[in-house]
Amino acid sequence: MIILAKSKTLCARSAAALVIHRVTQGQSLNTAFVDINKRLDESQRSLFQQLSYGVIRWYPTLEFIGKQLLSKPLKTKDGDVFALLLMGIYQLRSLRIPDHAALSETVNACKLLNKQWASGLINACLRNYQRQQDALEKSVTEQLVSNFAHPAWLIEKYQSDWPDHWRQILEANNQQPPMMLRVNRREYSQTDYLALLATANIPAYAIENCPQGILLEQACDVFSLPGFVDGAVSVQDGAAQQVVDLLDLQSGLRILDACAAPGGKTCHILERFPTNQMTALDISDERLKQVDENLSRLHLSATCLAADACDTQNWWNGEQFDRILIDAPCSGSGVIRRHPDIKLLRKPEDIQQLAQQQQDLLDNLWPLLKPDGLLVYTTCSAFKQENELQIEAFLLRQPDAMEHVPAMAPARRAGFGYQLLPGDNDLDGFYYACLRHR
Amino acid sequence: MALLNILHFPDPRLRQKALPIKKVDDDIRQLAHDMLETMYDAPGIGLAATQVNEQKRLIVIDVSEEKDSPLFLINPELLVTEGERDFEEGCLSVPEAYEMVTRADKIRVRALNLQGETFEMEADGILATCIQHEIDHLEGKLFVDYLSNLKRQRIKKRLEKHQKQKL
Ligand SMILES: C[S@@+](CC[C@H](N)C(=O)[O-])C[C@H]1O[C@@H](n2cnc3c(N)ncnc32)[C@H](O)[C@@H]1O
Ligand SMILES: [Zn+2]
């Protein structure tokens, strides 16, 4: 049951507190965000987004400060109050909202959460933060977790894989991600679309080494992009746009995109050569619908199948492919700037399990490749175990596979394949390997 | 813990009659706590297992301002009802509809707690209303059933339209 007084509409801050609380309880940031966003007034949405993403991005640091301000930890069911406290600290240290407004609005949000009792507590803690700001901020810099806003295990993993780059990676992970577009070459050239954006007063630039890539100065709603619904452009990071070149495409090929959803790369490949016979697989029914949506928006077609790619008995008709793309499920450790909830949701034991899935995909799909065919393996991970070590082990198991050297290297050379690290060229972290069937 | 999905009127699953719980084990306790979190998150003051698609006679309630007095009732039975009271009710399964419903003002219930022990309690006011509302759910009954046909149809139409928009 619910009574009217308990279902007040939310403000940006109370709504963000609910989102943050849900993420700490294991829900993905995107799911929680979309769900709560529906309950908000239009005018509150931009601050709501800034607060939800900002607090999750800086969670380890804010938690470190927040815990010092509380004399005893809050109960689990008051996770929303804790979220509100962290949000208050976040506004005071990082946003350009005047301190008194940040303070009073955050305290007020307690009411909308039905936690009036907490307003005194939040007020006292935030005032304490202001009073002790220098000492607290000094203590933040003294520990890696709080200084770099990452859980200890992630920091250690980056350090051991990238002893010379881990700082760059951690810092890049904390940046707000830029919004990047891929122009549909069947509709517009990069230059023509840049001109269209200019007339629409959307400041944008061409991305270097990325013939269809455009960087927006500021993120915007996709529906405000000229021609979006008719397939003029798609949202895709420049790092992902480099994959299509590695596939050495021409028309008339049989192609398998084994992990296709939401269809970014499937569509990019078909924009190049729409007559290719494309099979797009994904294990998730739900996510596969997004592939359909993207294909139809871009007026392209492919055979979409919901299946576990490893279970070839079930979905494969026995006819081999000229090209296979495995854009494997991974830790996402290269794209934390886009998915800051990875910091809270990913657990160290996940990595081994993901590596096993990647290995299964490689082993089960390799026999589906024609002799002289090309398999491209990619992840948005920065961990060697999912990337170069995965490929090294695969090459040892598969004597008829050999590394293929593409015409242009997409990133820094790794032991095997190529690795883009977060912070390189302001792109997402990404791994690429090309394997040829002898 | 986990947040559970709440079914929305006119979902036919809300019309099923819930089955008695034979044994109060860890699964039931887990469900009860997940339901409680779901209810706090909504935020609501009562939730029946039927609403989260579990056909079990289990309800969770917390009418306190501080949200620190959860009440779990397993296999609840109304023993005594007394008086009448009108209250504007809403339901997590019927979003954005609030209507006056007349129910007993004072009640006595028997139920099992999370340890599987039988207890009896008396309730009045909002707690009495809420317990009756939730026990109704276990019988497949909704507060809109107390309204006129016309009002119920209007709510149903609006929610069906909402659901279509979501798809
Ligand atoms: C990194 S995402 C793919 C992104 C996509 N290639 C794009 O460019 O838009 C990985 C996808 O792999 C899918 N997946 C995971 N395991 C799979 C399996 N065994 N078979 C098929 N798909 C799988 C996931 O559902 C997820 O959608
Ligand atoms: Zn109800």
Side-chain angles (χ1 to χ4, degrees):
Chain A
M1 185 168 132
I2 177 168
I3 54 181
L4 206 47
K6 307 277 170 182
S7 65
K8 293 176 199 127
T9 46
L10 294 166
C11 62
R13 291 178 177 80
S14 51
L18 291 179
V19 168
I20 295 157
H21 179 43
R22 286 193 186 187
V23 174
T24 62
Q25 301 292 324
Q27 198 170 67
S28 92
L29 176 55
N30 186 44
T31 311
F33 181 84
V34 169
D35 194 28
I36 304 275
N37 197 38
K38 287 186 291 212
R39 291 167 57 183
L40 268 190
D41 199 63
E42 191 64 47
S43 65
Q44 300 287 304
R45 289 191 172 163
S46 128
L47 180 60
F48 166 61
Q49 169 158 30
Q50 192 177 22
L51 293 172
S52 308
Y53 276 78
V55 171
I56 295 297
R57 178 166 293 129
W58 292 98
Y59 195 90
T61 310
L62 299 169
E63 182 187 33
F64 173 84
I65 301 174
K67 282 189 167 158
Q68 297 186 59
L69 294 170
L70 287 168
S71 52
K72 64 174 197 301
L74 290 162
K75 297 183 197 147
T76 325
K77 72 174 167 67
D78 295 324
D80 50 356
V81 174
F82 190 58
L84 215 47
L85 172 61
L86 302 194
M87 193 188 312
I89 303 168
Y90 174 66
Q91 294 168 78
L92 293 175
R93 69 196 297 266
S94 315
L95 295 192
R96 259 185 253 143
I97 300 172
D99 282 7
H100 62 90
L103 223 105
S104 64
E105 292 298 313
T106 307
V107 170
N108 279 341
C110 292
K111 261 190 232 124
L112 298 179
L113 296 171
N114 288 315
K115 304 266 166 121
Q116 257 113 330
W117 61 266
S119 28
L121 177 75
I122 298 274
N123 188 44
C125 287
L126 292 179
R127 287 189 185 282
N128 261 337
Y129 171 77
Q130 288 180 310
R131 239 171 278 140
Q132 306 168 24
Q133 186 161 14
D134 292 346
L136 283 167
E137 291 298 339
K138 182 158 181 295
S139 72
V140 162
T141 60
E142 283 161 0
Q143 292 186 27
L144 286 177
V145 168
S146 47
N147 194 33
F148 287 101
H150 279 67
W153 75 272
L154 266 179
I155 298 180
E156 280 158 25
K157 192 121 179 102
Y158 287 125
Q159 282 176 325
S160 83
D161 275 5
W162 302 103
D164 297 330
H165 296 88
W166 61 273
R167 280 169 190 277
Q168 162 196 330
I169 297 173
L170 296 175
E171 278 162 12
N173 287 351
N174 291 338
Q175 300 302 311
Q176 282 210 33
M179 182 165 172
M180 297 187 195
L181 306 178
R182 179 189 82 234
V183 180
N184 181 355
R185 59 188 289 138
R186 315 207 73 77
E187 304 280 340
Y188 295 100
S189 72
Q190 191 188 39
T191 330
D192 290 347
Y193 197 75
L194 278 169
L196 264 186
L197 287 172
T199 22
N201 276 322
I202 302 178
Y205 316 94
I207 303 175
E208 224 180 299
N209 299 329
C210 215
Q212 274 90 46
I214 287 182
L215 170 71
L216 297 186
E217 197 172 284
Q218 227 183 358
C220 71
D221 183 7
V222 286
F223 294 107
S224 62
L225 295 169
F228 178 80
V229 281
D230 301 320
V233 275
S234 305
V235 176
Q236 190 176 47
D237 191 88
Q241 295 185 40
Q242 299 192 35
V243 173
V244 73
D245 286 325
L246 303 178
L247 282 161
D248 192 13
L249 292 175
Q250 61 206 50
S251 57
L253 297 178
R254 262 179 69 76
I255 306 180
L256 169 67
D257 187 349
C259 301
K265 300 184 189 69
T266 316
C267 293
H268 194 189
I269 293 169
L270 289 171
E271 280 170 12
R272 265 301 149 88
F273 292 101
T275 57
N276 277 333
Q277 273 186 62
M278 168 71 80
T279 306
L281 280 188
D282 204 279
I283 199 165
S284 154
D285 233 345
E286 209 41 47
R287 286 171 57 83
L288 196 67
K289 286 191 199 128
Q290 299 175 295
V291 182
D292 270 329
E293 280 168 23
N294 278 319
L295 285 167
S296 72
R297 186 177 59 82
L298 294 159
H299 316 293
L300 300 167
S301 70
T303 309
C304 296
L305 297 175
D308 178 347
C310 296
D311 189 8
T312 51
Q313 296 255 350
N314 224 331
W315 64 266
W316 186 46
N317 67 3
E319 206 183 323
Q320 285 179 318
F321 295 94
D322 300 293
R323 302 287 183 268
I324 295 179
L325 172 61
I326 305 181
D327 189 22
C330 73
S331 62
S333 52
V335 290
I336 288 185
R337 64 177 187 167
R338 294 199 188 277
H339 304 284
D341 52 339
I342 291 175
K343 291 178 178 181
L344 281 81
L345 299 178
R346 194 58 80 206
K347 297 290 171 253
E349 56 278 14
D350 297 345
I351 309 298
Q352 181 52 41
Q353 203 208 331
L354 287 160
Q356 184 63 50
Q357 286 179 36
Q358 294 153 359
Q359 175 178 334
D360 291 346
L361 283 163
L362 282 163
D363 287 347
N364 284 295
L365 294 175
W366 182 255
L368 276 56
L369 187 65
K370 281 186 193 165
D372 210 36
L374 202 60
L375 183 152
V376 172
Y377 171 87
T378 56
T379 71
C380 49
S381 166
F383 295 150
K384 294 188 174 175
Q385 190 184 353
E386 300 176 271
N387 297 344
E388 60 186 84
L389 298 179
Q390 182 74 268
I391 294 303
E392 179 175 19
F394 175 74
L395 290 170
L396 281 174
R397 287 194 303 279
Q398 270 304 342
D400 60 1
M402 58 183 246
E403 195 178 3
H404 165 81
V405 178
M408 205 165 60
R412 74 160 54 68
R413 185 78 176 123
F416 291 86
Y418 300 85
Q419 181 77 56
L420 205 53
L421 291 176
D424 287 351
N425 307 333
D426 207 21
L427 296 174
D428 282 350
F430 222 84
Y431 175 78
Y432 316 81
C434 310
L435 306 171
R436 182 163 304 274
H437 199 304
R438 279 184 219 273
Chain B
M1 83 129 229
L3 289 169
L4 308 170
N5 228 337
I6 299 179
L7 301 179
H8 285 169
F9 175 67
D11 193 313
R13 289 170 291 183
L14 288 169
R15 295 306 189 177
Q16 283 168 293
K17 210 173 138 143
L19 303 174
I21 290 172
K22 296 218 180 74
K23 192 162 159 269
V24 181
D25 54 16
D26 282 348
D27 288 346
I28 294 294
R29 281 185 280 270
Q30 181 64 46
L31 173 61
H33 281 113
D34 288 348
M35 282 172 56
L36 190 70
E37 291 289 345
T38 307
M39 179 189 84
Y40 283 141
D41 183 72
I45 59 169
L47 186 69
T50 310
Q51 292 176 273
V52 294
N53 197 22
E54 292 281 349
Q55 308 310 325
K56 302 192 173 82
R57 301 190 78 84
L58 162 63
I59 64 188
V60 303
I61 289 177
D62 190 343
V63 297
S64 71
E65 191 64 38
E66 289 73 31
K67 296 283 157 243
D68 57 358
S69 319
L71 178 65
F72 302 94
L73 301 177
I74 295 170
N75 301 339
E77 290 170 75
L78 276 180
L79 302 176
V80 185
T81 64
E82 247 180 70
E84 273 192 5
R85 170 186 142 94
D86 292 337
F87 196 88
E88 191 172 48
E89 295 184 16
C91 177
L92 293 173
S93 294
V94 191
E96 283 158 44
Y98 297 90
E99 297 291 343
M100 222 39 122
V101 178
T102 309
R103 300 188 188 267
D105 180 38
K106 274 185 107 176
I107 58 169
R108 186 168 182 81
V109 265
R110 180 191 296 151
L112 304 179
N113 63 17
L114 282 188
Q115 279 63 54
E117 302 150 356
T118 304
F119 70 101
E120 284 187 17
M121 65 178 280
E122 280 179 358
D124 57 9
I126 174 82
L127 181 57
T129 302
C130 188
I131 292 176
Q132 294 171 78
H133 175 118
E134 302 310 333
I135 291 181
D136 270 358
H137 274 303
L138 303 182
E139 298 298 328
K141 195 163 178 179
L142 296 168
F143 88 101
V144 293
D145 299 350
Y146 295 95
L147 309 178
S148 70
N149 235 333
L150 190 75
K151 266 193 179 165
R152 187 167 53 248
Q153 288 308 324
R154 244 201 328 251
I155 295 174
K156 183 169 161 218
K157 285 242 170 61
R158 182 171 53 76
L159 289 182
E160 280 171 346
K161 205 165 110 205
H162 260 208
Q163 254 138 36
K164 277 213 200 90
Q165 279 168 354
K166 263 193 251 162
L167 293 182

